[in-house]
Amino acid sequence: AQKLSLKLSSGINAEYGGSDQCFDCEAGQYSPVEGGTSCDKCLPGHHQDQTGSAGCKVCPKGTYQGLEGQAQCDQCPAGTSSPEQSTTADSCIDCEAGTYSSSAGSECLKCPIGEYQDVAGSTSCKPCPSNTDTEGAKECKLSCPEGQVPEGEVCKSCNAGSYAALGDTVCSKCAKGSYSNIDGAGTCNPCPVKTYGPEEGLTECKPCDGNDAEGQSECKIVCPAGEIVQDGACVPCPAGEYENEGECVACAAGTFSSQAGSSSCDLCSTGHFSSEGAVSCEVCPAGQYQDKEGQALCEDCAAGYYGDQAAATTCTKCSAGFYNPNQGQTSCTECPAGTITDNEGQLACQECDAGSYSISSSKCEFCAPGHFSDDMAAVCDPCDVGSYAPNAGSIGCSPAEAGSYVDEKGASETKVCPAGSYCPEGSSVPIDCKAGNYCPEGSPAGAPCPAGTYNPNTGAAVIAECLACDAGSYCSSEGQSAPTGLCSAGYYCVEGSTSPQQNLSPAGHYAPAGSSAPTPCPKSTYNPLAGSVSVSDCTPCPEGKETSTEAATSADQCKDINCVPGYYRDPAKGCQICPKGQFSNVENAVACRKCPKGQYNSQEGAVQCMQCPVTSYTWSVGTDSLDGCIGPVIEVCTGEDMTGNCYRYYDNNPAVNTTIKSVQVIRGEFELFDQPNYKGFHTKLADRHVAHNVEEIGRLNHIGSFKVILNDVFCYLDQGWKFRGSVRKTSKSGKACIDWSKTPLKRKAAPGNSCQNPDGTRLAPKPFCYISETETEECDVPACIWDMDCYTDNGVQYRGHKGVNLEDDSCQDWNKDFPIIHGYHSPEYSWAGVGSHTYCRNPSPESENRPWCFRDNWWAIITTWAYCDIPKCSRDAFDFYRF
């Protein structure tokens, strides 16, 4: 391949007398076109280990690159691999069971024949001599005797009608002409004389007097045309089929047979079609045709044509004035107003030019004076008021000239502006003279009122309409539509005042700017000074005191009052309002009380606290907002992209009564359903996801109900090894958790600094976090009560420690086969909580609806299992969380 180089700017070359010189792109860069002036960096997920390249290479499987402009890709560790073009180390995932990756940067390869691997993330495979035919084996299969095949960890006998040779891994059906009438057969027997075996997997052969030899798969009887041998007798082929060399064969598409016992099929006539095995032909529907016999399908009428009758052999062209852009139509569409067609069979209509309109579907005509049109007009629009068009065929209207106006639509001339008004360009009506002015006939602007007066009204025609200044204001110049300004603060002005400082505000009062009279200080305040400008100059009485009237001038007028509920009495400051997160419900309280756990208060001066949603809890007392209630929150909106009317929910909603267009989980995790009462298609959304429009969420196109997911999100089950909540990022003592990427468990923990229990081989008693790179501390995340003290749904999620059944028998260890041999072992049934323990579980939800266990006693062979005495979860009997 030709190397690419960069061309220097013109004139920069000291060695070749001013000619241009090109340089190779460095490794990690490329230039895709000739004559380039710069090199582009390779994008993340790509690299280039050569110079002078025109493009970049994709990072191969087993590697990744998160940076731009790199010459090499980083390698995944042995035992892992990644897809092509990966950009992060998180793309390196463990090789599946049955595969391995022996070195860093390599693909996951299947285990060869003779080996297997049952653990993900392996760097090699284990030997398995009994595996003689399978690559990528995940288990080492058993070697069973003749007549048996491996099933799980035991050998199982083949059923009658099948057999297994030594070393077979599956049972094979007996071939035609043979049978097996016992379980565990190593071979099949030939059908005896006077019998035959027409099918595989027979346990006995069928009688046939015409057969004189063993092992026959057909009954040798000669039947007439249209019939076949079946169970030793001749039977006719059914309608839709015909007899061919002793077998009934379905009629091919485009043909049919209407009667039983046919030896051939008939062709479908024109205008008809059939599928394979038809007993009659179907007519071509309207919009389709077929002009040939024996066809499997009908043809769509072409665009520009239509077919309004069934069983058609041809289609009809669209008439002039009509069109049809699509195939397979039963009618043509008339050209919309503003368009025409003058020929048959048209796919589209032509537009009328601007300045004209369509008077029919085949003719355009010029607009009349006073009217105009754009392209493709059905009618001409009249000129709007304020404009006119003097000529026919206009594509637009002109504005009325200054000093004139047009007050009717469709005008072709203007009118003169009358007295008492003014008309700027484009006026549709005469405009009243502006306030502070008066206007003669035809005026484009008005004359100003003289100084000392103002005119707040429009349409004035004489000077007498100019008014004297209002009280609280003063006037100093001509042409005013309002007084010059307000009286100065601390003063008040009566009507006709000429100065902004006409009268001084007295003690016990204040006067803001523009006052026409002094305002008294409110009750429970006082003011000993004259000339005050604001209510803030009125001094409040001391805490716990008030005045009996307004306009007090001395603190001696303030008297004691009681502290009402929502306040408390401070010995030094008097009545003080309770802060958020606290309350008082008695008079003259000595202190406010903090809201108890599970409650909050977001307002000052409260007399009681609000209850958090039933699905929520608080970390401590004194919570001061609804956001301090730790629990699920989902927001739904009636418009897309979280617009329209939006609502927040904190619990289940079995029947959504409005149309939801967009949704976002604010906190926690929810399961969404497209039908009410948690039925139909469903999916899960969590707070780690962005907002979604409903039509973009999987198979959902509607939200009919939703419910919260609390377990392992806001509380933990077992020891919290599946806990994925982000509700706590501090330790039990309140120390900040550090990011797990800085800890020894960085490869096992989820990203971030939330409390977890990620070490699957050495689980801690409950979720914890690192408070330094070497120190850990437990988190005060609550334990889940539901599916621990009680079970939900059919009990599949139950993870409690009940180990005794309803008969008061101890439960058998799930991973043991004594005294009961069974197949519910881990890891196959780990999804149901089965493992090396004796706790009740339900690994069979298809047949059982609550937790159960095998009986661990000698008489268990009579009754092998029993349900466990575990109550079903309900909100009136069980809380959600345990601290």
Side-chain angles (χ1 to χ4, degrees):
Q2 181 181 1
K3 280 191 171 183
L4 295 182
S5 303
L6 293 179
K7 189 174 183 181
L8 291 175
S9 300
S10 176
I12 303 177
N13 193 309
E15 187 175 353
Y16 296 98
S19 64
D20 293 341
Q21 183 179 359
C22 298
F23 293 96
D24 290 342
C25 290
E26 297 178 355
Q29 300 182 354
Y30 71 103
S31 176
V33 296
E34 293 185 357
T37 60
S38 65
C39 294
D40 297 325
K41 292 181 179 180
C42 290
L43 297 175
H46 298 72
H47 75 288
Q48 180 52 261
D49 54 359
Q50 297 181 357
T51 60
S53 296
C56 297
K57 302 175 182 178
V58 172
C59 285
K61 294 179 179 179
T63 67
Y64 65 93
Q65 180 54 258
L67 303 176
E68 294 181 341
Q70 300 302 303
Q72 301 294 334
C73 297
D74 296 328
Q75 295 182 335
C76 291
T80 68
S81 187
S82 64
E84 287 187 349
Q85 203 172 331
S86 293
T87 59
T88 67
D90 291 340
S91 300
C92 299
I93 58 176
D94 289 344
C95 292
E96 297 179 349
T99 65
Y100 72 101
S101 168
S102 60
S103 60
S106 62
E107 295 185 44
C108 294
L109 304 176
K110 290 183 178 180
C111 289
I113 293 172
E115 297 182 6
Y116 80 106
Q117 181 52 262
D118 57 350
V119 179
S122 298
T123 59
S124 63
C125 298
K126 304 174 184 178
C128 180
S130 60
N131 177 16
T132 59
D133 59 357
T134 303
E135 291 185 341
K138 299 180 181 179
E139 59 182 355
C140 192
K141 301 177 181 178
L142 294 176
S143 178
C144 294
E146 183 179 79
Q148 296 184 358
V149 294
E151 183 173 298
E153 298 180 0
V154 297
C155 293
K156 181 181 178 183
S157 295
C158 294
N159 294 329
S162 63
Y163 71 98
L166 184 64
D168 284 354
T169 59
V170 294
C171 297
S172 302
K173 289 183 178 180
C174 289
K176 293 180 180 180
S178 64
Y179 75 100
S180 165
N181 57 1
I182 61 171
D183 292 342
T187 60
C188 297
N189 302 317
C191 287
V193 174
K194 301 298 183 182
T195 66
Y196 77 110
E199 302 171 356
E200 295 179 341
L202 292 177
T203 59
E204 62 179 353
C205 298
K206 300 182 179 181
C208 179
D209 291 336
N211 285 350
D212 297 325
E214 292 183 339
Q216 299 300 307
S217 61
E218 297 180 354
C219 188
K220 297 181 179 178
I221 298 176
V222 178
C223 296
E227 297 184 1
I228 64 169
V229 176
Q230 185 172 311
D231 294 331
C234 292
V235 295
C237 289
E241 299 182 5
Y242 71 100
E243 181 267 324
N244 181 31
E245 296 182 356
E247 294 185 356
C248 290
V249 181
C251 289
T255 67
F256 71 100
S257 67
S258 59
Q259 297 180 347
S262 298
S263 58
S264 64
C265 299
D266 298 321
L267 295 175
C268 290
S269 61
T270 57
H272 295 74
F273 74 100
S274 74
S275 56
E276 184 179 23
V279 298
S280 63
C281 296
E282 300 180 52
V283 298
C284 291
Q288 296 185 341
Y289 76 99
Q290 184 49 261
D291 57 358
K292 300 182 183 65
E293 294 182 338
Q295 299 302 305
L297 298 169
C298 297
E299 302 290 340
D300 285 338
C301 289
Y305 290 72
Y306 71 99
D308 58 354
Q309 301 291 329
T313 58
T314 59
C315 297
T316 307
K317 286 185 177 181
C318 293
S319 304
F322 292 78
Y323 75 102
N324 184 4
N326 301 315
Q327 298 178 339
Q329 302 301 303
T330 60
S331 63
C332 297
T333 304
E334 185 174 7
C335 286
T339 64
I340 62 170
T341 61
D342 53 5
N343 294 316
E344 294 181 339
Q346 297 302 301
L347 278 65
C349 301
Q350 300 172 337
E351 299 176 356
C352 288
D353 293 333
S356 65
Y357 69 104
S358 62
I359 60 173
S360 70
S361 60
S362 60
K363 183 179 179 182
C364 299
E365 190 169 284
F366 282 127
C367 294
H371 295 74
F372 73 100
S373 75
D374 294 326
D375 292 336
M376 202 176 72
V379 294
C380 294
D381 295 321
C383 290
D384 204 353
V385 293
S387 63
Y388 71 106
N391 302 316
S394 296
I395 63 174
C397 301
S398 301
E401 293 84 357
S404 65
Y405 69 99
V406 176
D407 59 356
E408 295 178 344
K409 289 187 176 183
S412 59
E413 59 183 6
T414 62
K415 299 177 181 178
V416 177
C417 199
S421 61
Y422 69 100
C423 300
E425 184 182 60
S427 292
S428 59
V429 293
I431 303 173
D432 287 342
C433 224
K434 290 183 179 180
N437 293 270
Y438 63 97
C439 301
E441 181 181 46
S443 293
C449 287
T453 65
Y454 75 101
N455 180 13
N457 303 312
T458 59
V462 294
I463 194 171
E465 296 182 59
C466 299
L467 307 175
C469 269
D470 299 332
S473 303
Y474 68 99
C475 301
S476 63
S477 62
E478 65 178 16
Q480 300 296 116
S481 61
T484 304
L486 300 174
C487 265
S488 299
Y491 296 84
Y492 64 98
C493 297
V494 296
E495 182 178 6
S497 294
T498 59
S499 168
Q501 298 177 346
Q502 192 76 17
N503 301 292
L504 182 67
S505 177
H509 296 73
Y510 64 95
S515 294
S516 60
T519 302
C521 285
K523 186 179 177 181
S524 298
T525 66
Y526 64 95
N527 182 12
L529 302 175
S532 296
V533 301
S534 168
V535 69
S536 62
D537 294 329
C538 300
T539 304
C541 287
E543 288 290 342
K545 294 180 180 293
E546 64 181 355
T547 65
S548 59
T549 61
E550 297 178 335
T553 59
S554 169
D556 294 338
Q557 294 173 264
C558 296
K559 308 299 180 182
D560 288 338
I561 60 174
N562 285 334
C563 293
V564 298
Y567 289 76
Y568 71 98
R569 184 177 295 281
D570 183 284
K573 300 180 180 179
C575 292
Q576 299 292 310
I577 193 168
C578 288
K580 296 178 181 179
Q582 299 184 27
F583 73 102
S584 73
N585 54 7
V586 296
E587 289 187 348
N588 297 314
V590 297
C592 299
R593 291 187 289 170
K594 292 184 177 180
C595 291
K597 282 189 174 182
Q599 297 184 18
Y600 73 97
N601 181 14
S602 59
Q603 296 182 342
E604 294 180 339
V607 298
Q608 64 180 8
C609 296
M610 304 293 291
Q611 189 69 40
C612 286
V614 67
T615 55
S616 302
Y617 56 84
T618 60
W619 296 119
S620 61
V621 298
T623 300
D624 61 3
S625 70
L626 179 58
D627 289 339
C629 296
I630 308 303
V633 185
I634 188 172
E635 186 170 353
V636 298
C637 298
T638 58
E640 294 186 344
D641 301 321
M642 304 306 290
T643 60
N645 294 325
C646 296
Y647 310 93
R648 286 195 174 188
Y649 295 86
Y650 304 86
D651 203 346
N652 299 340
N653 189 338
V656 176
N657 57 8
T658 187
T659 301
I660 295 175
K661 293 294 185 66
S662 55
V663 60
Q664 182 175 14
V665 175
I666 306 301
R667 186 165 56 212
E669 192 169 351
F670 283 76
E671 190 167 14
L672 312 181
F673 299 81
D674 69 349
Q675 296 180 22
N677 298 317
Y678 320 120
K679 295 180 179 180
F681 292 125
H682 58 94
T683 189
K684 293 180 180 178
L685 281 185
D687 53 15
R688 61 182 176 275
H689 301 136
V690 298
H692 287 277
N693 290 330
V694 173
E695 64 180 14
E696 301 169 352
I697 305 176
R699 302 173 69 181
L700 295 182
N701 54 21
H702 173 73
I703 296 180
S705 57
F706 53 79
K707 62 181 179 180
V708 300
I709 298 174
L710 302 178
N711 287 0
D712 281 324
V713 177
F714 293 97
C715 58
Y716 68 90
L717 285 171
D718 291 341
Q719 295 167 268
W721 64 277
K722 288 176 62 179
F723 178 70
R724 61 186 179 277
S726 58
V727 296
R728 203 56 164 162
K729 298 181 180 179
T730 59
S731 68
K732 191 172 184 178
S733 66
K735 296 178 181 177
C737 299
I738 68 171
D739 197 290
W740 287 92
S741 63
K742 300 176 181 179
T743 74
L745 295 178
K746 60 185 177 183
R747 294 192 179 277
K748 295 184 177 182
N753 62 333
S754 299
C755 297
Q756 303 178 43
N757 197 356
D759 194 346
T761 57
R762 294 185 297 275
L763 284 172
K766 62 182 294 186
F768 68 97
C769 72
Y770 278 84
I771 56 176
S772 71
E773 294 184 0
T774 57
E775 294 178 283
T776 64
E777 190 172 311
E778 280 189 351
C779 298
D780 56 353
V781 177
C784 301
I785 293 179
W786 285 38
D787 282 321
M788 284 297 290
D789 294 4
C790 56
Y791 71 91
T792 60
D793 297 330
N794 54 14
V796 170
Q797 302 300 326
Y798 176 71
R799 296 297 183 269
H801 294 166
K802 187 82 169 183
V804 178
N805 61 32
L806 283 171
E807 305 298 330
D808 206 27
D809 296 323
S810 296
C811 295
Q812 178 179 313
D813 190 309
W814 288 100
N815 278 355
K816 293 182 179 180
D817 284 324
F818 182 83
I820 305 303
I821 299 175
H822 63 92
Y824 294 110
H825 305 124
S826 63
E828 183 178 359
Y829 286 90
S830 295
W831 53 269
V834 167
S836 295
H837 59 74
T838 60
Y839 304 137
C840 298
R841 295 290 185 264
N842 185 11
S844 55
E846 69 282 352
S847 59
E848 311 306 332
N849 61 2
R850 61 185 298 183
W852 58 274
C853 70
F854 289 108
R855 303 174 67 181
D856 190 16
N857 53 53
W858 63 272
W859 59 86
I861 57 175
I862 300 173
T863 305
T864 60
W865 65 277
Y867 289 118
C868 297
D869 185 16
I870 301 170
K872 192 160 188 177
C873 298
S874 63
R875 296 195 179 199
D876 57 351
F878 294 93
D879 293 331
F880 290 114
Y881 311 110
R882 177 182 293 115
F883 285 88

